[in-house]
């Protein structure tokens, strides 16, 4: 069991498969990209499966989310999913993606055992998409969403970030479109995870701003708190249901007290929080030829890392400092 000193138990594992991405979203990385990890620094497919196996069979993990960078850029993704799906007990598996490669991979991922996907889409306007991502791939994301729905990777969830002066007025349009296509929309407050450290608290589009905008067109009924559990999104029924909309207010309404996540970076580091400034190296232990590389010892190292998890992310502190590594290297 992965328990910390505040009594929280981690059952949800986020696995970053790569730090690379085929978009250059303004809130994530600079236009020229980043200094990517070397091949020898990345976990191999076998190492990823072994660490996930340890997490599931030794540490009580019941949900696994594959992230990036962009996880669809990982050549062995389908095989990794298939091998994790064969574990006993079998964890629930999902994927967070920008959607560009979903049209050609959705069916294979479903067949391999993936349960569902979260797709990033911040705008319905191709020109705004190009400005936000610095790439002209809007149609590919729309087609990828449709392919995921058709393949049965449901519920298909859309993650949207609203940026001042670009797409902040689109919340009602995005929700109407999501309801029409049977997608579940979740708005995420912009977080300080950009490599260029350009995030500023003042001027950001807050959860309150988003809800006020949505209520100009829709009636929102708050979901019972018991239904939320440890989920990061507060959810509302849209016009009485059955469709829902969520808001992840990491900055203005932190939900750290209910956090049930542990994170594994693409180079084999445990992070107790997306905003943590400390990491614990599992890759070195994994590659050890001696007792340090045994499953029981790796599980022990992981337990010790999670025992030291802090009470909160620190985002509610106005003097918060951004993590040393950008989101693409950590896994969203």
């Amino acid at each position: 069991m992965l328990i910390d000193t505040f009594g929280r138990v981690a059952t949800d594992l986020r696995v970053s498969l790569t730090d690379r991405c085929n978009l250059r979203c303004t809130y994530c990385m600079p236009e020229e990209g980043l200094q990517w990890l070397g091949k020898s620094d990345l976990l191999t497919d076998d190492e990823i499966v072994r660490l996930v196996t340890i997490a599931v069979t030794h540490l009580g993990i019941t949900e696994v989310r594959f992230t990036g960078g962009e996880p669809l850029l990982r050549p062995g993704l389908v095989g990794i999913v298939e091998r994790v799906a064969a574990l006993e007990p079998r964890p629930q598996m999902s994927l967070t993606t920008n959607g560009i490669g979903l049209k050609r991979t959705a069916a294979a991922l479903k067949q391999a055992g993936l349960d569902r996907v979260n797709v990033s889409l911040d705008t319905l306007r191709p020109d705004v998409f190009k400005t936000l991502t610095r790439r002209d791939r809007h149609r590919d994301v729309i087609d990828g969403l449709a392919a995921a729905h058709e393949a049965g990777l449901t519920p298909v969830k859309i993650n949207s970030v609203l940026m001042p002066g670009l797409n902040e007025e689109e919340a009602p349009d995005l929700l109407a479109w999501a309801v029409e296509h049977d997608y579940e929309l979740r708005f995420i407050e912009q977080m300080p995870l950009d490599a260029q450290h350009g995030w500023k608290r003042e001027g950001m589009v807050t959860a309150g701003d988003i809800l006020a905008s949505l209520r100009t067109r829709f009636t929102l009924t708050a979901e019972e708190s018991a239904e939320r559990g440890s989920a990061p999104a507060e959810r509302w029924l849209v016009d009485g249901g059955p469709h829902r909309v969520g808001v992840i207010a990491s900055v203005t309404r932190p939900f750290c007290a209910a956090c049930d996540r542990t994170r594994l970076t693409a180079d084999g580091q445990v992070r107790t929080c997306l905003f943590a400034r400390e990491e614990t190296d599992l890759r070195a232990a994994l590659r050890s030829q001696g007792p340090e590389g045994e499953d029981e010892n790796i599980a022990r190292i992981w337990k010790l890392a999670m025992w030291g998890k802090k009470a909160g992310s620190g985002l509610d502190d106005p003097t918060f400092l951004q993590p040393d590594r950008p989101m693409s290297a950590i896994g969203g």
Side-chain angles (χ1 to χ4, degrees), residues 80-265:
I80 291 171
V81 170
E82 188 171 34
R83 292 166 68 184
V84 172
L87 294 178
E88 292 290 344
R90 181 198 186 281
Q92 287 289 305
M93 284 186 295
S94 58
L95 178 82
T96 295
T97 172
N98 62 31
I100 288 175
L102 266 182
K103 183 177 180 179
R104 59 177 174 78
T105 57
L109 287 167
K110 179 64 178 179
Q111 186 174 0
L114 192 70
D115 295 302
R116 63 173 188 81
V117 293
N118 285 33
V119 180
S120 298
L121 179 65
D122 302 322
T123 179
L124 297 176
R125 296 179 288 169
D127 59 324
V128 176
F129 182 92
K130 187 174 181 180
T131 299
L132 279 168
T133 68
R134 305 183 178 104
R135 298 291 187 271
D136 190 11
R137 305 298 296 273
H138 188 261
R139 185 73 251 170
D140 294 319
V141 180
I142 300 300
D143 291 345
L145 281 161
H149 194 277
E150 183 178 352
L153 293 169
T154 54
V156 175
K157 296 185 179 181
I158 295 176
N159 295 336
S160 295
V161 176
L162 299 182
M163 302 283 288
L166 284 173
N167 62 338
E168 62 184 316
E169 304 300 328
E170 282 197 66
D173 290 339
L174 280 163
L175 180 53
W177 185 81
V179 168
E180 178 186 353
H181 290 84
D182 196 29
Y183 304 140
E184 184 175 325
L185 179 63
R186 307 189 312 170
F187 292 98
I188 304 176
E189 287 184 335
Q190 184 195 0
M191 295 179 283
L193 290 167
D194 57 309
Q196 53 275 44
H197 291 189
W199 178 87
K200 287 182 172 52
R201 185 181 300 269
E202 58 274 14
M204 63 171 285
V205 181
T206 67
D209 298 330
I210 294 165
L211 292 170
S213 179
L214 293 176
R215 286 183 170 122
T216 63
R217 196 183 305 181
F218 303 95
T219 299
L220 303 182
T221 306
E223 187 178 65
E224 295 291 335
S225 58
E227 293 185 54
R228 180 182 182 184
S230 59
E234 296 179 76
R235 298 199 305 176
W236 286 263
L237 288 173
V238 179
D239 291 339
H243 291 95
R244 289 173 168 82
V245 64
V247 178
I248 299 177
S250 301
V251 178
T252 62
R253 304 179 189 177
F255 39 85
C256 302
C259 181
D260 65 349
R261 297 178 183 178
T262 184
R263 297 176 180 274
L264 185 65
T265 67

